[in-house]
Amino acid sequence: MSQDGLFEKVLIANRGEIALRIHRACREMGIKTVAVHSTADADAMHVRLADESVCIGPPAAKESYLNIPSILSAAAITGADAIHPGIGFMAENAQFAQMVIEHGFAWIGPTPEHIRIMGDKVTAKKTVIELGLPCVPGSDGPVKDFEDAAAVADRIGYPILIKAAAGGGGKGMKVAWNRDQLREAYQLARGEARAAFGNDQVYIEKYLANPRHIEIQLLGDHHGNVVHFGERDCSIQRRHQKVVEEAPSPALNAAERQQIGDLAASVAQRLGYRGVGTMEFLYEDGNFYFIEMNTRLQIEHTISEMITGVDLVREQIKVATGAPLGFGQKDIPFNGHSIECRINAEHPETFAPSPGKVTRYHAPGGLGVRVDSALYDGYRIPPHYDSMIAKLIVHGNTRNECLMRLRRALEEFVIEGVDTSIPLHQKIIAEPDFINGDYDIKWMEEWMKRRQGS
Ligand code: MV4
């Protein structure tokens, strides 16, 4: 640590645009950065820009970005005083967080205990219900056997959804519309949960047919202060991958917005939550239902930054040093509207991944346009990792201004040499439903079916 209590050197245990995002925050705080990378990422932007870099293994993430001994060794040999896990990879690994701390490094994230609690979806739900968050009606903890599951289903009424306690992000969910379907779905769900997570505990919830996905951005310090940065609507998604996110949600009125934001912040405060985190809710017929809490930075944190003017990564790093939040809830302004498009290197119709050389790259600019991307002319997108290559984030004073700006920015964006989802985004944002803010979590998949049919 330096004299002003900030870190002197942060190791960024990630790659791509998010490694760059974190590097930028560190640089602006006068903090030196250490990039780690696989052999496939030797030419990556985050490696070029970092003060130091360490190769931590071969292309396979398991042997590099998920390789705990390699990452800890890289931190030790470079003399880093903190580790930022970024998003994905090690970000929600409580054991890794604990090892980082035990090895004498600061962990830029919540406590291992908070990661553990929220990683078990049953424990998470129990914990937040006790603190007064509304949840989807369902089993009180994991169900013991089929008869237990059937009794819960009879009590709450079909359709029901079976979820894995160790799941999250939609993996291993099964819908049942009646007792017969439940019998099969229950066995399937347990088998899949055991295979995927090594834990076959499942729980049951009433199945909501057409909810929106609305999440609240939170930030807590080590002194019991928690603030929220409003909500994000992430309902435009396909196969549990978000495609477009916006803040604020076109579905909420001012009273609902304030109510859910304050409630989420108060629950996080009573949890003693520190660092950035997100509470995810389903929203249907004017009601919110907590489903999960993500104990990390999220890709779409950017749109909350755009409407509040707060650099969330900077604040995340600051609170990790133990510094108190320098502002309260009343100091956070909410201005205008922001939309993010996640641009992937994939075919816009078939979604087939499209790694390879970027032969031409030109990012849009102008007022209210932000591009978070680690691409450059001549960069080779490796085939080993996630296909997201850029985030286009725009801000406008109104939702309509934001939409017009987004349309303009997508037209300016040039990425040649690989297929990208830019044309897909252009089609989505031209849809009357999207323009009217009239969509839910099923909208995109139904829209694609309609387009195939016609
Ligand atoms: C649900 C649901 C409907 N009813 N729970 C999917 C991911 C996981 N975080 C929770 N998920 C859902 N839980 C009940 N009781 C529908 C989903 C869901 C979903 C949620 C948010 C965003 C996209 C989704 C896509 C499909 C299903």
Side-chain angles (χ1 to χ4, degrees), residues 128-401:
V128 303
I129 285 176
E130 278 171 19
L131 295 171
L133 272 190
C135 290
V136 193
S139 57
D140 182 19
V143 288
K144 287 187 271 303
D145 51 26
F146 169 71
E147 287 307 326
D148 189 16
V152 172
D154 287 338
R155 175 167 60 79
I156 61 178
Y158 290 93
I160 62 92
L161 190 58
I162 309 174
K163 296 184 174 183
K171 265 175 278 169
M173 300 194 322
K174 292 272 174 284
V175 185
W177 291 81
N178 54 52
R179 191 182 168 100
D180 278 349
Q181 283 184 5
L182 178 63
R183 198 178 291 279
E184 193 180 334
Y186 176 73
Q187 291 308 332
L188 271 174
R190 285 193 58 163
E192 281 182 24
R194 189 181 307 116
F197 314 111
N199 171 355
D200 67 355
Q201 286 197 330
V202 298
Y203 63 107
I204 287 183
E205 282 183 353
K206 177 88 189 164
Y207 175 61
L208 304 181
N210 297 100
R212 298 177 81 112
H213 171 125
I214 291 180
E215 57 184 34
I216 307 291
Q217 177 67 57
L218 299 161
L219 169 68
D221 66 15
H222 294 199
H223 308 273
N225 304 300
V226 176
V227 293
H228 72 81
F229 296 85
E231 84 283 8
R232 298 185 285 259
D233 195 319
C234 309
S235 302
I236 303 284
Q237 57 86 38
R238 174 183 169 270
R239 298 192 180 172
H240 302 292
Q241 294 290 319
K242 293 166 187 164
V243 177
V244 180
E245 305 102 348
E246 64 178 311
S249 168
L252 300 192
N253 62 42
E256 289 173 304
R257 173 165 301 120
Q258 185 174 354
Q259 180 233 325
I260 195 64
D262 288 346
L263 184 59
S266 130
V267 168
Q269 198 269 334
R270 283 174 286 147
L271 271 170
Y273 192 80
R274 18 166 108 166
V276 295
T278 302
M279 287 188 187
E280 293 188 0
F281 295 87
L282 298 179
Y283 175 79
E284 195 176 72
D285 300 329
N287 297 308
F288 291 98
Y289 306 92
F290 170 89
I291 47 170
E292 289 173 25
M293 181 168 187
N294 299 316
T295 52
R296 53 166 162 82
L297 187 68
Q298 292 198 240
I299 295 185
E300 63 274 21
H301 73 279
T302 51
I303 56 175
S304 304
E305 294 183 321
M306 300 304 274
I307 62 165
T308 60
V310 175
D311 180 335
L312 287 169
V313 179
R314 181 189 186 97
E315 298 305 325
Q316 179 191 29
I317 294 168
K318 238 173 84 181
V319 297
T321 66
L325 275 181
F327 52 87
Q329 189 66 52
K330 285 189 282 301
D331 304 315
I332 301 173
F334 289 89
N335 283 312
H337 201 91
S338 183
I339 304 180
E340 171 174 277
C341 289
R342 294 190 187 189
I343 295 165
N344 293 344
E346 66 187 17
H347 192 277
E349 301 287 334
T350 66
F351 300 96
S354 182
K357 186 170 171 177
V358 175
T359 52
R360 220 154 91 87
Y361 179 72
H362 175 80
L367 180 65
V369 176
R370 165 177 174 183
V371 177
D372 278 19
S373 172
L375 288 195
Y376 56 85
D377 262 320
Y379 175 66
R380 256 178 208 288
I381 301 165
H384 315 282
Y385 312 106
D386 193 275
S387 63
M388 195 186 72
I389 50 170
K391 304 188 300 200
L392 171 61
I393 307 120
V394 300
H395 181 267
N397 292 315
T398 63
R399 187 168 185 269
N400 188 52
E401 190 179 293

Side-chain angles (χ1 to χ4, degrees), residues 8-43:
E8 276 175 20
K9 196 187 274 187
V10 168
L11 182 139
I12 302 165
N14 217 294
R15 63 179 302 284
E17 65 83 22
I18 199 64
L20 182 58
R21 170 73 190 85
I22 296 159
H23 166 83
R24 285 171 170 160
C26 289
R27 251 301 199 283
E28 292 176 14
M29 299 172 87
I31 299 171
K32 290 197 167 61
T33 58
V34 179
V36 294
H37 65 89
S38 70
T39 52
D41 279 337
D43 295 331

